[in-house]
Amino acid sequence: MHRFSVSSNTLISQDNPLLLWLPERQKFLEELIRLEGRGVQGIDELCSSCKNASSRYRCEDCFGVDMHCIDCVVQKHAHSPLHRIEEWTGEYFEHTSLKKLGLRIQLGHNVGDRCMNATTAFGDEFVVIDSHGIHEVGLDYCGCETAEARTTQLLRMAWFPSTTIDPKTAATFRLLEEYHLLSFESKVSPYEFYHALARRTDNTGLKPLKDRYEAFMRMIREWRHLKMVKRSGRGHEPGGVEDTKEGELAVTCPACPHPGKNLPDGWQSVSSSRRWIYGLFVAIDANFRLKRKAVSKDSVDPGLSRGWAYFVEELAYKTHLLERIDELQEKSTCSSHSAVDMADTKSSRGLAATGVGTIDCARHNMKLPAGVGDLQKGEKYVNMDYLFFSALKHSSVTVLNVSYDIACQWHKKLWHRMTWLAPSNQLDYTAKLITFFVPKFHLPAHVVPCHTKFSFNFIRGVGRTDGEAPERGWANINPVASSTKEMGPGNRRDTLDDHFGDWNWKKVVGLGATVLRKIQEAIPERNSHLENLRLLEESIESSRITASLAGGSTDEPVSILTSWRKEAEAWESDPTQPNPFEKRVETMTQATVRLQLAQDDAQKLANESSAPLHEEVTPSVLISAGLDVEEQQATIQNRRNALTRKIDAWAKIQALYIPGVVALRVGSNGTSGTEEEIEKAENQKLWLPSQLPRGVVCDQELRSIEWRLRYAQAGDALNELRQSLRLSSYLNRFKDRFLRGQGANTRARNTLKTVDAKSTACKARYRAAHAALHSLSPILNMVGWQNTFRALTDDDVKPMVDLLEAGTEGRRQLTWIWTMRGAADNSDEGLQDALRIEWCKARARAARWSEEVELLFEEKRRILQFFNWQAEQWVDRAQKVFPGDAIMKEGLIAYALRQAALRRSLAAHFTHLWRDTQRLLDIANEGMDTDDSQGST
């Protein structure tokens, strides 16, 4: 529904709230201005509470705009001492404070009670920072004999003191919590937040406030740290905060394998073929945006966590780096990687840290405990090694999958470099199955041998992991780079630790929806790729190629798939075996492509110059000749005269077999257009049996002959089409990789045009054959042929590996022209080798998606078990015997039980989200079983 606005000449939607508001704009403005006055209170000027005294004050933060007298406004705000008060001067409102009106805040006693021995805060200039602004208040401490320390009195009022001795400033817990969450979501700096509060207090600068920015910075940092130690349960441990171990403050990933927490009993004794299900995936990366200027030092600005969260312990880390400061970084033998080649040359002028290195969970995108550290000069191995072993030294998993964008170089001497570390940081790699990978997005930049050796797509046991998890997390943390760049070393580490913890927690609570989405995607993808693999294998098996015929070394002919499968399994078990994903037939060259095209042209010319048809021909010769003429009609226009003579000669013979075509040809030659176009030989309709209208008598034998010839023609056209697509794929790859310059690229494009023209002719020939088969099949009662020869669309015409296709290797699927029966019936060794590689890739794709489904269901189980383990841990903490006062004990028990309830609630919520996933898997498996049974019969 719309209406037309005459004033603006625009069409206004009745459903757009913003546009509907425009006519009400003046009314809203008037109400804002009305609130600048006293409103209805201006009539009697009496206090709305006591109804006696004159009303001069109102509160900006209380509900409503009632006016009160001075006594009533002070009395009403005994429980709200940080509200903002306005005073009516007789002409307008101006800000005042409850302190000026006489309100005193008494700590250590119930609200409204006064201490007989009250002590005024230092200088009576106490400032409280709150969400409403920065307030100067009248504050009195309790001075009784049983009084607590002043900081304790403040904390029990939910006010956080800025210092431990005679504090002059405090921040409300409410404000600290507000800024804490705001810093995570908007990455606002303490400077921006504090000065926004200052402007809210006084936006004119006419009433200078006492500067408490440094105090605010200090309180925020201490608040961050306290929240971390509280949430990790350190307040419930006998040793307290000081007994915290390395990495204990970190939020751990519940979906990763944690022995003793979320792995089943006996997981170590699982068969070697199933070890991968309990593998740990880690990703290594560096971020060079998170720099730090060379300001302050650790002795002046020490970190509060000391390696308890994500950053490693700084002293041990820097000691190790100093011991290896003279180690030269070996140059890359792969492609030019700046992370390797520039590690010793990267500029670090004016910087104490050029970035950070991190160790992440590669499947769930969480920072690992004790796996983050500063980089001093590029991404050096000595830095990344320390972080890697520090993050993994406490894990006892036996399968480790390590992703790093320079893994091909970094892993070579890793175990030798490990000996430089302290024994406590070393890894018993001989007892583990460790595989190194390069993230999928980074892999194409590597040399060709790396593309399979370090690929997530081809190595078993990794599902659909891509290794790019750290890259996705940088977008969240990069906005804090500008503020942390100016911080001291300890403050920066504490701030980044806190942000990494929040990122991990958001990932944890989002795992329910994340795993559900992945399962809903993975199950159909698995079935689709398994079906694609089945069709390809049927096509290969139907060709009856044996390993011996295909160049295998077997003495007895065996199925080529059996031979290929043995090779693939051998390489998967031992990477030193021949790589099945590598080509074994000499790659075609441009010269061979041009020679093949020239031979095709020569063959066509030879066919065109053949002698005219003889008068006495058999029916099969008649139909065969008709198909030849039809092909020449589609491809030859500059030899029209010769073609016309052939058509005339063929038409005379055709009239003997099908007399009815004479009338058809006289009445209409089957074309539409101008007379000149109709006379063109390539446009004349031949009236083959498949083109005859109903009522025209035609021998059934002729139709049967055309059927068989068309069936063969369709197969030949597809064979030639597949060959042309292989040529086109090679030429595109060669041009993109090797050719530079206008001349070379022009020649390559001309060759591509020739190949593309051949593909176009093949498509036209196949579509003509398919149309004829479709026309003849009802008459001849032919069924089932559509399963072999389908309708050909432009989307079906793709090479095995389409460089222009948007899909990735893990999602790519062959079109039906490559998986149909007989697609492998070709003696071309190049095609056989390409089919072998494509079968290996299709097998790998199906395996990776199948593994992904298994991994996701295993991660489901791990997550729920981990939450239950955490809940039990918190219940155990609640059941401990706590010495001391009963109030403290109640707080410890309440917090522990609340945390246990939270974990159980998360487990229940995730279980509800995943309630249909097992049914979805069962239905998908039943469908696969049905397809398999149908295929076997």
Side-chain angles (χ1 to χ4, degrees):
M1 181 177 179
H2 299 83
R3 65 182 176 85
F4 192 74
S5 172
V6 178
S7 60
S8 59
N9 290 330
T10 58
L11 192 64
I12 299 179
S13 170
Q14 293 282 12
D15 299 326
N16 189 325
L18 180 62
L19 297 179
L20 290 175
W21 172 82
L22 285 176
E24 304 291 327
R25 175 170 48 188
Q26 183 65 31
K27 179 180 177 181
F28 276 66
L29 176 60
E30 290 171 358
E31 290 301 319
L32 290 179
I33 296 175
R34 185 174 183 271
L35 290 174
E36 291 293 322
R38 291 175 295 171
V40 295
Q41 296 296 328
I43 299 175
D44 53 21
E45 297 187 353
L46 291 178
C47 175
S48 59
S49 296
C50 67
K51 304 298 183 180
N52 294 322
S54 173
S55 59
R56 294 176 53 197
Y57 304 95
R58 74 178 182 189
C59 179
E60 290 188 72
D61 302 312
C62 287
F63 178 73
V65 290
D66 294 341
M67 299 289 295
H68 302 278
C69 65
I70 187 170
D71 293 333
C72 289
V73 79
V74 171
Q75 181 182 358
K76 285 177 63 70
H77 285 85
H79 288 82
S80 306
L82 300 180
H83 280 195
R84 296 167 297 164
I85 306 300
E86 292 181 317
E87 180 181 5
W88 181 253
T89 66
E91 296 178 339
Y92 55 85
F93 282 106
E94 65 176 10
H95 292 285
T96 185
S97 69
L98 287 167
K99 180 182 179 183
K100 290 181 180 179
L101 300 181
L103 178 65
R104 302 295 299 181
I105 302 171
Q106 177 65 63
L107 302 183
H109 293 266
N110 293 329
V111 177
D113 295 342
R114 297 295 300 167
C115 177
M116 301 302 294
N117 194 26
T119 304
T120 303
F122 185 84
D124 199 19
E125 295 180 344
F126 200 86
V127 173
V128 179
I129 307 173
D130 187 41
S131 300
H132 298 314
I134 302 171
H135 309 272
E136 186 174 343
V137 300
L139 181 70
D140 296 325
Y141 294 108
C142 175
C144 299
E145 291 183 0
T146 58
E148 300 287 350
R150 294 184 175 184
T151 53
T152 303
Q153 293 183 44
L154 288 166
L155 289 168
R156 290 186 180 176
M157 293 294 292
W159 289 4
F160 198 95
S162 62
T163 60
T164 57
I165 301 174
D166 284 333
K168 298 170 62 176
T169 308
T172 62
F173 286 11
R174 173 177 56 193
L175 170 84
L176 296 174
E177 186 73 21
E178 179 181 339
Y179 171 74
H180 201 190
L181 290 174
L182 192 61
S183 68
F184 291 146
E185 293 301 317
S186 71
K187 304 302 184 287
V188 64
S189 71
Y191 180 88
E192 294 164 334
F193 185 81
Y194 177 84
H195 286 86
L197 282 176
R199 291 186 61 184
R200 187 174 187 185
T201 306
D202 175 39
N203 201 22
T204 65
L206 298 177
K207 300 176 182 179
L209 302 172
K210 292 180 173 62
D211 188 4
R212 296 293 193 265
Y213 171 63
E214 289 188 9
F216 176 69
M217 287 278 291
R218 186 165 55 250
M219 289 184 287
I220 281 294
R221 184 175 173 188
E222 293 166 357
W223 176 264
R224 290 183 188 274
H225 178 70
L226 285 173
K227 295 292 277 190
M228 290 179 70
V229 296
K230 178 186 176 185
R231 289 165 177 164
S232 63
R234 300 314 306 164
H236 292 71
E237 299 301 325
V241 177
E242 289 300 323
D243 199 32
T244 306
K245 302 294 189 300
E246 188 178 40
E248 283 190 340
L249 301 188
V251 178
T252 51
C253 174
C256 285
H258 299 284
K261 300 177 182 178
N262 65 357
L263 291 187
D265 296 335
W267 67 271
Q268 303 96 326
S269 57
V270 71
S271 64
S272 58
S273 62
R274 297 290 299 169
R275 291 173 67 189
W276 62 271
I277 201 72
Y278 302 124
L280 176 64
F281 294 79
V282 298
I284 306 172
D285 200 18
N287 184 331
F288 292 105
R289 284 197 175 190
L290 295 176
K291 300 177 174 65
R292 187 181 76 81
K293 290 183 178 180
V295 295
S296 191
K297 52 186 177 181
D298 285 299
S299 59
V300 176
D301 182 33
L304 300 178
S305 294
R306 302 187 306 223
W308 296 346
Y310 304 94
F311 270 86
V312 294
E313 200 280 313
E314 193 71 7
L315 180 59
Y317 179 49
K318 287 186 175 177
T319 300
H320 171 72
L321 297 180
L322 286 173
E323 291 173 353
R324 295 293 166 180
I325 193 171
D326 296 328
E327 293 290 338
L328 294 178
Q329 184 95 351
E330 56 183 312
K331 299 300 180 183
S332 172
T333 57
C334 185
S335 298
S336 250
H337 295 300
S338 58
V340 178
D341 295 337
M342 297 179 64
D344 289 315
T345 60
K346 198 172 184 69
S347 174
S348 58
R349 181 179 300 176
L351 298 175
T354 58
V356 296
T358 65
I359 313 299
D360 295 61
C361 161
R363 279 188 63 82
H364 315 106
N365 195 7
M366 301 188 200
K367 296 288 181 290
L368 295 189
V372 180
D374 283 334
L375 304 176
Q376 291 71 39
K377 197 172 185 180
E379 195 172 342
K380 299 185 73 170
Y381 291 166
V382 67
N383 295 81
M384 308 309 290
D385 293 347
Y386 189 97
L387 302 179
F388 174 71
F389 289 110
S390 173
L392 296 178
K393 67 180 180 181
H394 299 301
S395 176
S396 58
V397 296
T398 57
V399 176
L400 188 59
N401 300 301
V402 184
S403 170
Y404 192 11
D405 53 8
I406 53 173
C408 58
Q409 303 299 308
W410 171 75
H411 87 288
K412 288 181 178 178
K413 298 181 180 179
L414 178 62
W415 310 124
H416 168 70
R417 298 194 304 271
M418 185 183 70
T419 60
W420 301 346
L421 300 169
S424 60
N425 268 20
Q426 295 186 22
L427 192 69
D428 183 11
Y429 64 93
T430 59
K432 299 179 184 292
L433 175 62
I434 303 178
T435 310
F436 297 95
F437 297 88
V438 173
K440 289 181 179 179
F441 180 79
H442 290 77
L443 191 59
H446 288 243
V447 295
V448 174
C450 293
H451 291 181
T452 51
K453 186 177 180 182
F454 298 98
S455 174
F456 275 104
N457 287 319
F458 305 138
I459 300 177
R460 65 184 178 187
V462 298
R464 286 284 300 153
T465 314
D466 60 13
E468 298 289 356
E471 304 293 345
R472 302 184 184 100
W474 294 138
N476 175 71
I477 196 65
N478 281 339
V480 306
S482 58
S483 57
T484 57
K485 185 177 182 180
E486 307 288 341
M487 293 180 180
N491 190 10
R492 173 173 169 275
R493 289 195 298 272
D494 292 341
T495 301
L496 291 178
D497 267 344
D498 198 33
H499 279 273
F500 291 148
D502 178 69
W503 171 260
N504 279 14
W505 177 249
K506 287 194 292 187
K507 286 292 180 181
V508 168
V509 297
L511 279 173
T514 300
V515 172
L516 176 63
R517 173 179 54 81
K518 289 184 176 182
I519 287 176
Q520 290 172 336
E521 175 190 34
I523 292 177
E525 285 281 359
R526 179 202 66 171
N527 289 11
S528 176
H529 284 279
L530 286 172
E531 175 65 11
N532 194 259
L533 176 63
R534 184 185 67 80
L535 293 174
L536 180 60
E537 289 183 342
E538 285 184 357
S539 170
I540 295 172
E541 288 287 8
S542 68
S543 66
R544 299 183 182 86
I545 306 172
T546 63
S548 58
L549 293 176
S553 58
T554 55
D555 295 330
E556 295 292 332
V558 296
S559 165
I560 190 65
L561 283 179
T562 302
S563 174
W564 290 350
R565 188 172 287 107
K566 287 181 179 179
E567 292 178 11
E569 292 172 351
W571 179 79
E572 288 173 343
S573 301
D574 180 8
T576 62
Q577 296 295 315
N579 190 332
F581 297 96
E582 293 179 352
K583 294 181 179 180
R584 296 174 185 171
V585 175
E586 183 178 356
T587 303
M588 65 179 71
T589 65
Q590 281 190 304
T592 59
V593 173
R594 293 194 180 103
L595 176 61
Q596 183 170 347
L597 293 175
Q599 291 172 343
D600 291 345
D601 290 341
Q603 182 66 36
K604 290 178 181 178
L605 289 175
N607 291 338
E608 292 165 9
S609 59
S610 58
L613 289 173
H614 194 276
E615 291 183 357
E616 296 179 358
V617 293
T618 64
S620 61
V621 172
L622 173 72
I623 301 300
S624 297
L627 298 187
D628 291 340
V629 170
E630 183 183 63
E631 288 186 22
Q632 292 183 41
Q633 280 183 313
T635 58
I636 300 176
Q637 297 185 15
N638 56 352
R639 300 176 178 87
R640 190 170 294 124
N641 292 335
L643 179 59
T644 301
R645 288 194 297 271
K646 275 193 173 184
I647 292 175
D648 292 343
W650 182 82
K652 292 177 182 178
I653 303 298
Q654 183 192 25
L656 298 176
Y657 287 95
I658 313 175
V661 300
V662 176
L664 291 174
R665 189 168 281 111
V666 171
S668 171
N669 55 17
T671 62
S672 60
T674 64
E675 184 176 351
E676 181 181 356
E677 290 175 340
I678 293 174
E679 291 178 354
K680 290 181 179 179
E682 61 270 21
N683 292 335
Q684 293 185 26
K685 196 166 187 177
L686 298 179
W687 298 111
L688 289 163
S690 61
Q691 299 170 330
L692 295 174
R694 290 185 179 182
V696 177
V697 178
C698 179
D699 191 344
Q700 196 76 347
E701 181 183 6
L702 290 177
R703 290 192 172 98
S704 178
I705 290 172
E706 184 182 2
W707 169 271
R708 285 182 288 171
L709 289 172
R710 290 290 193 182
Y711 198 93
Q713 183 188 40
D716 290 343
L718 286 181
N719 281 333
E720 290 186 35
L721 179 60
R722 287 190 287 263
Q723 180 66 13
S724 297
L725 292 175
R726 287 186 61 235
L727 293 177
S728 177
S729 179
Y730 161 75
L731 289 173
N732 274 303
R733 191 181 301 110
F734 183 88
K735 180 174 73 71
D736 293 342
R737 184 172 297 177
F738 299 112
L739 297 187
R740 299 294 181 270
Q742 182 176 355
N745 275 280
T746 299
R747 288 190 294 273
R749 281 194 296 270
N750 289 336
T751 305
L752 275 169
K753 286 180 181 178
T754 304
V755 175
D756 291 341
K758 182 179 178 182
S759 298
T760 301
C762 292
K763 286 192 292 184
R765 194 162 73 252
Y766 174 81
R767 285 167 176 162
H770 186 273
L773 292 173
H774 186 271
S775 174
L776 293 170
S777 58
I779 302 173
L780 299 174
N781 197 25
M782 296 293 185
V783 295
W785 63 275
Q786 298 96 333
N787 296 330
T788 301
F789 296 120
R790 309 180 195 176
L792 185 68
T793 68
D794 289 340
D795 288 338
D796 297 326
V797 184
K798 293 180 180 178
M800 287 187 183
V801 181
D802 190 352
L803 298 180
L804 304 178
E805 192 175 8
T808 62
E809 173 59 37
R811 296 177 181 272
R812 185 172 58 84
Q813 293 191 14
L814 293 178
T815 60
W816 68 267
I817 66 173
W818 298 101
T819 59
M820 61 173 286
R821 289 182 178 272
D825 290 336
N826 195 307
S827 59
D828 182 0
E829 291 185 357
L831 177 59
Q832 295 299 332
D833 196 51
L835 280 173
R836 175 185 59 80
I837 295 174
E838 188 50 48
W839 174 83
C840 289
K841 290 182 177 181
R843 174 179 174 272
R845 286 192 290 271
R848 296 300 82 77
W849 280 108
S850 299
E851 292 165 358
E852 180 69 11
V853 172
E854 287 196 67
L855 278 173
L856 288 170
F857 276 83
E858 167 62 16
E859 287 169 352
K860 262 180 50 181
R861 187 198 60 77
R862 284 185 212 153
I863 292 168
L864 297 179
Q865 185 173 337
F866 189 83
F867 284 153
N868 290 331
W869 174 84
Q870 282 188 318
E872 292 172 3
Q873 289 292 106
W874 281 108
V875 170
D876 289 343
R877 288 169 177 151
Q879 294 173 348
K880 288 181 179 179
V881 177
F882 299 106
D885 66 77
I887 298 176
M888 180 65 181
K889 181 177 180 179
E890 183 180 70
L892 289 168
I893 294 173
Y895 184 74
L897 294 180
R898 181 159 67 89
Q899 292 299 315
L902 171 61
R903 268 63 185 188
R904 292 194 182 104
S905 296
L906 283 172
H909 176 57
F910 287 7
T911 301
H912 177 73
L913 284 176
W914 301 334
R915 63 191 181 279
D916 295 328
T917 53
Q918 185 60 50
R919 186 166 62 90
L920 177 64
L921 179 63
D922 293 340
I923 293 173
N925 289 340
E926 290 175 5
M928 289 173 56
D929 293 341
T930 302
D931 291 343
D932 291 344
S933 63
Q934 289 175 348
S936 62
T937 56

